[in-house]
Amino acid sequence: MNTQWQQYKNIINAVVKPAFGCTEPISAAYASAVAADLLGKMPEELDVKVSDNLFKNSMGVFVPGTGRIGLAIASAAGAVGGNPNGGLEVLVNIKPEHVEKAQQLIDAGKVKAGRKDVEEFIYCEVVAKAGNDVAVVEISGGHTQVIKKTLNGNIVFDASSDQNKDEKPKSTASVCEGVEISIEGIYDYATNVDFEEIKFILEARDLNSALSDEGLENSYGLEVGKTIQKSIAKGLFGNGLINNIVMRTAAASDARMGGATLPAMSNFGSGNQGIAATMPVVETAQHFGSSEEQLARALIMSHLGAIYMKSFYPPLSPFCGNAVTSSAAAMGMVYLAGGSFEQMCFAIQNTLSDTTGMYCDGAKSTCAMKVKSSTNSAVMSFLMAIENNEARSQGIVADEVEKTIRNVGKMVKQGMSNTDATIIEIMSA
């Protein structure tokens, strides 16, 4: 495998990972688990400070295994029963007794959680105390990227030190930095790399399909997926490809945001975006009777395409990442339908013309609605594309896909620079 393709594989492996629960509160849970491990005993007090964006995405989402919402329970559960080596799956083995102890800490006023004024979009600091011992853990640049650990004032680990130069943090947003990558390059890689080199991406199908099954079988959140399922049964919706794709994708998000005790295959730090990159492609492959190899190639297009597009703006922002993730899924759907590369670009253009501008106002049950909307747009955009219809030279959407991608990135970085502060102000009022 050539160097460029190896870089592409490395990018996917870096930011397409199983995650147990919404990644923002899970970041705090992980930091707390690491802090407790550093103390060598269960903390008696926790003080958690996070960046505005991490705070926003932790306010309304259920923490899996707890049946509760927010940073406080995520942090306390992580400290009491979290696996410090578990990364985004830190709470996989959480038990009711852990939740009970965590809630006791919260009820006793021993857990404080709030915001810290920092420039980094993903940042979490946990101060854990037990007796006279104090452990401090800092995460920055990535949801599980520990940059510093201190015990009783002594630095145990510092990623910026010379001795840890190989572990110096790299922001998730810069994961594509220094790599020659484009939509055409992604297409070339996905369609020509040896199947054995990309077979691993099929785990995304397995994990996110299980979440979708869970969302359709049980009640979570707003039941967006189940509502579509019931509407099909009543004859209000047709039982066809479009509605099945939207139903299955939304159902996975329902379960994800509702605290289901199942992992999602995340994309760029987001379980919902991992779902949006996966389920439409999986359902399309089933419809067309695609082989596992064809599905894997389409999933590579979808996941890597989403990562590439999102690399032009911060990992957490006021812009809902499902907008561009769904456009990458549309690319994968066109491939499975036998479409050309040109038509894949049409599909991306079409989706971005529709979904760009969708706000992110925190992680919560209504994320399933946004997943539904962006997925519905992706399906329509893919169908338009295979009929050779393309949105172009209209506002942010340029006359070719690469320029459009950069235009969207510019809008998020520059045009929405004050939007997040306003959203957080509204949410905190």
Side-chain angles (χ1 to χ4, degrees), residues 1 10 65 92 103 142-143 168 186 218 222 244 266 269 295 311 334 350 374 379 400:
M1 188 163 61
N10 292 344
V92 163
Q103 190 61 50
H143 291 87
K168 286 184 179 180
I186 291 167
N218 297 292
L222 295 175
N244 283 326
S266 66
L295 172 58
S311 71
V334 170
N350 292 343
S374 64
V379 179
E400 58 92 23

Side-chain angles (χ1 to χ4, degrees), residues 20-21 26 64-66 77-78 80-99 261-263:
F20 188 74
I26 289 302
T66 70
V80 173
N83 176 6
N85 300 310
L88 291 175
E89 296 183 284
V90 58
L91 297 182
V92 163
N93 296 317
I94 201 79
K95 294 179 172 58
E97 54 265 34
H98 296 143
V99 179
T261 53
L262 291 171

Side-chain angles (χ1 to χ4, degrees), residues 26-49 74-86 90 124-130 133-139 144 146-152 156-157:
I26 289 302
S27 180
Y30 176 68
S32 297
V34 173
D37 184 59
L38 193 57
L39 276 177
K41 49 192 166 185
M42 192 178 86
E44 297 166 2
E45 295 181 49
L46 289 171
D47 190 358
V48 185
K49 294 287 190 298
S75 302
V80 173
N83 176 6
N85 300 310
V90 58
C124 177
E125 176 191 71
V126 171
V127 179
K129 298 179 182 179
D133 295 321
V134 180
V136 182
V137 172
E138 283 184 83
I139 282 176
T144 58
V146 175
I147 62 165
K148 196 170 185 178
K149 295 192 284 187
T150 304
L151 180 62
N152 296 329
V156 176
F157 171 79

